[in-house]
Amino acid sequence: MRSGRFDDLENHMSHSSSPPAPSRTDLVTDRLALRPWTGADVGAVLSGPRADLWADDFPAEGDRVIAGLIGERPAWLGEHGHRLVVERESGLAVGSIGLFWPPAEGALEIGYGIVPSRRGRGYASEAARALAGFALTAPGVRTVTAEVEPSNPASVRVLEKAGFHRLAAAPEGVLRYGFTGADRSEG
């Protein structure tokens, strides 16, 4: 489903060098706007021309994977789906974050990625905390989960800084983290 707002934003992204104002569907943090993916974003990431408002190293491989999967999973374009991570100051897309809809037994998994040029700034933690808090407003969602390889300590730090708590090791040896309503009131 498309609205005039997305058409305006897509036109702005391809023809302007100034960042668009956040829309009411964006999640806005101190430094970021988490903007829902659009069909035009998916097409541009998969095969279209580079958008003016992308960081030089966006899209990363993970962004391309998500864009490819969105066609098979249209719910990922919904309100509680996948979003581009946009720096508010520059207006540049610097990564993506998303919820793997639908929830299972009250839990919804989150995934994220920030391009190398913007890592180390706390963007992933800021985005994960905002999206996890928002996810808990969805019907039937009580916990937001994330799985991370033990060999990826940077991602473990992202989750811990975002307020996620270690739950248990998954059968495959990955670490499992969770964020609940109680985590929203902390930190």
Side-chain angles (χ1 to χ4, degrees), residues 22 27-34 85-91 121-123 125-131 187:
L27 293 178
V28 179
T29 68
D30 288 342
R31 301 175 298 160
L32 306 170
L34 308 180
V85 177
V86 177
E87 281 179 324
R88 289 180 58 197
E89 185 176 318
S90 70
R121 299 178 186 195
Y123 287 174
S125 294
E126 188 174 325
R129 183 170 187 79
L131 191 58

Side-chain angles (χ1 to χ4, degrees), residues 19-42:
S23 79
R24 69 173 191 257
T25 59
D26 292 351
L27 293 178
V28 179
T29 68
D30 288 342
R31 301 175 298 160
L32 306 170
L34 308 180
R35 182 177 61 75
W37 281 75
T38 66
D41 294 328
V42 171

Side-chain angles (χ1 to χ4, degrees), residues 23-123:
S23 79
R24 69 173 191 257
T25 59
D26 292 351
L27 293 178
V28 179
T29 68
D30 288 342
R31 301 175 298 160
L32 306 170
L34 308 180
R35 182 177 61 75
W37 281 75
T38 66
D41 294 328
V42 171
V45 165
L46 291 176
S47 61
R50 276 196 60 74
D52 291 338
L53 291 176
W54 286 355
D56 288 342
D57 49 350
F58 182 86
E61 183 57 32
D63 304 310
R64 287 184 191 91
V65 169
I66 292 301
L69 292 172
I70 285 175
E72 302 166 20
R73 296 167 175 89
W76 287 9
L77 286 177
E79 179 181 20
H80 290 95
H82 286 265
R83 294 169 179 260
L84 294 175
V85 177
V86 177
E87 281 179 324
R88 289 180 58 197
E89 185 176 318
S90 70
L92 298 176
V94 298
S96 61
I97 187 165
L99 300 166
F100 296 96
W101 198 262
E105 298 177 17
L108 192 56
E109 187 174 356
I110 192 172
Y112 49 84
I114 302 295
V115 295
S117 68
R118 298 309 198 279
R119 291 183 187 154
R121 299 178 186 195
Y123 287 174

